[in-house]
Amino acid sequence: GLFVGDLVRWHTTPLGLAIVNAGASVLTLQGVAAASSPIKPALPKDYMVCGHTWHGLQLLDYALLSELPYIKPTAANDVPGLLRSLMPHHNISVVGTNGTGIGQRPWMEFELTGD
């Protein structure tokens, strides 16, 4: 049969990180801060929603979180490491996952503390 590894995976690059979806599309984020240097990213104010926060997260944060359930939470994928890289200014962790079976919708629950 056909063996498919991790459909979505990520890795660091010299300038930031890349999230690869099925080897076909790549989201490259340059200038992503290391977990040891907490900075708040600046977003352009092209749309009224840009720059606003809900529970300490901006729209881009929610968009990135919506992609994470498609990454299997394995040691090789290091989802906590990805969260630290994407959002070094937040204390966010994965507290639950589901939907790992065939035909199930992936689901991931996060906990945001502090901020």
Side-chain angles (χ1 to χ4, degrees), residues 80-92:
L82 178 58
L83 285 170
R84 285 189 301 275
S85 295
L86 290 174
M87 301 176 194
H89 53 290
H90 290 293
N91 184 15
I92 189 166

Side-chain angles (χ1 to χ4, degrees), residues 8 12 23 27-28 30 33 36 39 56 63 72 78 81-82 88 91 93 101 114:
V8 180
T12 58
L27 170 64
T28 303
Q30 294 184 359
S36 61
I39 60 170
K72 289 183 184 175
D78 188 21
L82 178 58
N91 184 15
S93 59

Side-chain angles (χ1 to χ4, degrees), residues 21-96:
N21 183 0
S25 64
V26 179
L27 170 64
T28 303
L29 301 170
Q30 294 184 359
V32 175
S36 61
S37 74
I39 60 170
K40 290 199 175 200
L43 290 178
K45 303 264 185 201
D46 293 340
Y47 299 98
M48 289 182 66
V49 72
C50 293
H52 292 279
T53 61
W54 297 269
H55 304 286
L57 299 175
Q58 295 183 356
L59 186 61
L60 180 58
D61 297 325
Y62 284 105
L64 292 168
L65 287 173
S66 72
E67 294 295 322
L68 292 184
Y70 296 95
I71 300 176
K72 289 183 184 175
T74 63
N77 279 331
D78 188 21
V79 172
L82 178 58
L83 285 170
R84 285 189 301 275
S85 295
L86 290 174
M87 301 176 194
H89 53 290
H90 290 293
N91 184 15
I92 189 166
S93 59
V94 178
V95 295

